[in-house]
Amino acid sequence: MKTYSEFQQLFEKYFPANEESMRVFFAPGRVNIIGEHIDYNGGLVMPAGITQGVYIMARKRHDEQIHIQSLFSPLQKIWNIQDSLQYDENDDWLNYPKGIFQMLKEKYNCMSALDMLIYSDLPTASGLSSSAALELALAYTMWQMQGRSTPLDLLTLAVDCQQVENKFIGVQCGIMDQAAIALTQKDKALLLNCSSLTFKHIPFTLGAYTLVIMNTNKPRSLIHSAFNERRSQCEKALQLIQTKCDIKNLCEASEEQLELISDPLLYKRAKHVVSESARVLQMCVALEKNNLISAGEILNQSHHSLRHDYEVSCAELNELVFKAQAHPHCVGARMTGAGFGGCAIALVETAFYDSFVEVIAKAYHLKFKYPASFYPAEISAGLRELFINDYL
Ligand code: GLA
């Protein structure tokens, strides 16, 4: 992470000094340990925040403008705080601040003139929730910079940001990413019930093992339409079961109830949801007992189900996962996040981390002619302002 004075130097390259002080806010990315494509089906998920994330440097302005700049894009965008901000396909990532600011204005009358600089060390489009981290970082920054006296309920803010993604951006994502980013704690996984929105933090300590994030670096395309399609297939599967059984969401379905789904494709989708839901509970037990072998086996089963039943894996993810699963010092691996590219995770003996990465990286590069990236997952605290202790 950068020091405060490094952040300040960056900021002053883009924004001339005024007498206000600059503040820095952070939203982590998230890795989903287990419970994939479960959130919008009303079940339990188990994500955790990671140390890579989105940083926003912000300072008050004395006019009515918001100046926003990302370090990864040449354009500085200027809006007036009175502007009504609308979605525009050509605006690319700027639709996120537009959606978030419009939501804050309409729902909370929260809007301030600010200079904002965005920096991120989270790879984008990689299944580590860079969009949700950006949403939460923007919303939290705007709220805190307004100096509101009312405390901010982070879960409510997560739901607000999810609504922006659903209604403004047009992606029918569930609540997992936004909730994980808002609520996660250091060295804990978040066990979240996506139906009741109740949650608890559970210790995520792996002893002699490391959770390795393996990024395919595959550019993801058409992911939004494929994601929305999976969601609507799950809705149809649920409706078929509901003609005979009184269940509220697909995660409540039993294996026998699945037999009510005559369409083979919808059956496979629902089968993944029901089996993955069971795996979340199994993972809780495995972690509680510190049984990493069993945790690894659950990851392997999850990948199999995501690949064959939910059909959201791809050649690149499979290559990383299969090579990891075959490695003698890895107990299990699976794709993580929405799929179609992005990242996979593997549970690897820490003492063999370097040799593990070397073997998998070599095989991947040989096959796809471009490199994958690897990072040990360090489990981070959630959304927050950075203060002096954070820079030590
Ligand atoms: C994306 C969505 C989440 C969740 C995952 C799959 O990250 O944003 O809501 O559905 O995919 O588990």
Side-chain angles (χ1 to χ4, degrees):
M1 193 182 74
K2 295 187 183 305
T3 62
Y4 183 82
S5 62
E6 284 169 335
F7 279 127
Q8 195 149 32
Q9 275 171 21
L10 272 176
F11 191 76
E12 283 171 4
K13 273 198 204 158
Y14 295 94
F15 301 110
N18 67 15
E19 67 274 20
E20 303 286 347
S21 51
M22 182 202 79
R23 293 163 67 182
V24 185
F25 301 87
F26 174 73
R30 69 96 190 92
V31 63
N32 189 20
I33 299 160
I34 195 77
E36 214 64 85
H37 289 279
I38 287 297
D39 55 355
Y40 53 86
N41 286 304
L44 287 172
V45 292
M46 194 195 287
I50 55 175
T51 44
Q52 292 99 328
V54 173
Y55 296 81
I56 299 188
M57 292 147 258
R59 198 177 54 196
K60 281 191 181 156
R61 295 179 59 89
H62 296 147
D63 55 14
E64 293 211 321
Q65 292 183 344
I66 298 176
H67 289 221
I68 190 162
Q69 167 88 47
S70 156
L71 279 173
F72 304 102
S73 142
L75 283 184
Q76 186 170 124
K77 189 76 186 178
I78 302 178
W79 293 299
N80 190 287
I81 56 174
Q82 316 293 347
D83 289 347
S84 166
L85 303 171
Q86 312 289 334
Y87 181 86
D88 180 343
E89 212 179 334
N90 301 318
D91 274 341
D92 194 31
W93 72 272
L94 283 164
N95 283 306
Y96 289 100
K98 280 172 135 186
I100 294 293
F101 297 157
Q102 195 59 28
M103 174 277 289
L104 288 174
K105 194 153 82 169
E106 283 169 14
K107 188 164 175 197
Y108 300 105
N109 193 24
C110 172
M111 180 59 69
S112 276
L114 296 178
D115 285 331
M116 295 173 122
L117 179 62
I118 300 168
Y119 162 77
S120 168
D121 58 4
L122 190 61
T124 50
S126 59
L128 300 175
S129 284
S130 56
S131 319
L134 178 61
E135 290 159 12
L136 266 300
L138 287 162
Y140 191 74
T141 302
M142 184 56 90
W143 186 277
Q144 297 298 90
M145 290 299 288
Q146 262 222 335
R148 291 277 176 134
S149 53
T150 28
L152 178 62
D153 174 45
L154 292 179
L155 184 56
T156 307
L157 194 71
V159 174
D160 291 335
C161 290
Q162 182 209 5
Q163 293 294 307
V164 169
E165 183 103 30
N166 291 171
K167 295 187 180 145
F168 195 91
I169 305 291
V171 181
Q172 299 309 312
C173 68
I175 185 61
M176 173 173 75
D177 302 346
Q178 288 81 3
I181 288 159
L183 302 170
T184 187
Q185 292 181 356
K186 190 167 165 40
D187 297 330
K188 304 268 172 66
L190 180 78
L191 185 63
L192 173 73
N193 180 322
C194 299
S195 200
S196 62
L197 293 190
T198 48
F199 61 90
K200 67 177 181 180
H201 294 101
I202 56 173
F204 189 66
T205 40
L206 300 177
Y209 288 81
T210 295
L211 187 71
V212 184
I213 299 175
M214 311 186 285
N215 188 347
T216 60
N217 290 324
K218 180 194 176 190
R220 293 199 294 189
S221 57
L222 297 177
I223 175 169
H224 292 171
S225 55
F227 186 93
N228 290 348
E229 183 193 55
R230 292 299 181 285
R231 188 164 179 160
S232 84
Q233 288 167 340
C234 288
E235 278 158 15
K236 284 186 194 135
L238 174 63
Q239 280 160 13
L240 289 174
I241 300 178
Q242 283 173 330
T243 55
K244 296 264 164 51
C245 308
D246 183 23
I247 57 167
K248 286 189 287 305
N249 61 57
L250 201 49
C251 287
E252 282 180 15
S254 64
E255 279 175 25
E256 298 79 69
Q257 288 169 343
L258 287 183
E259 301 306 324
L260 293 166
I261 307 171
S262 49
D263 179 301
L265 185 73
L266 298 185
Y267 176 84
K268 282 207 296 185
R269 302 297 187 248
K271 180 168 166 247
H272 164 73
V273 171
V274 169
S275 67
E276 182 77 355
S277 228
R279 281 187 285 274
V280 179
L281 294 174
Q282 291 161 12
M283 184 63 92
C284 291
V285 176
L287 289 178
E288 207 172 314
K289 292 191 174 154
N290 212 12
N291 186 343
L292 276 301
I293 303 293
S294 161
E297 183 49 35
I298 295 165
L299 295 183
N300 292 343
Q301 288 165 5
S302 172
H303 187 78
H304 188 271
S305 173
L306 286 159
R307 178 177 177 224
H308 294 287
D309 290 338
Y310 219 63
E311 295 180 286
V312 289
S313 190
C314 61
E316 294 80 356
L317 283 167
N318 290 340
E319 174 69 10
L320 289 176
V321 168
F322 295 158
K323 285 282 176 327
Q325 289 173 343
H327 192 278
H329 298 286
C330 170
V331 289
R334 72 175 192 93
M335 54 152 280
T336 186
F340 310 101
C343 288
I345 49 175
L347 259 182
V348 178
E349 283 178 61
T350 309
F352 294 90
Y353 176 84
D354 289 338
S355 60
F356 170 84
V357 168
E358 202 185 316
V359 170
I360 314 295
K362 203 168 159 191
Y364 188 86
H365 198 266
L366 197 69
K367 185 153 182 182
F368 296 106
K369 314 288 177 240
Y370 65 89
S373 315
F374 299 83
Y375 345 85
E378 288 174 58
I379 305 304
S380 152
L383 187 63
R384 64 196 190 275
E385 180 166 1
L386 298 182
F387 293 107
I388 188 79
N389 283 348
D390 289 292
Y391 297 107
L392 298 176

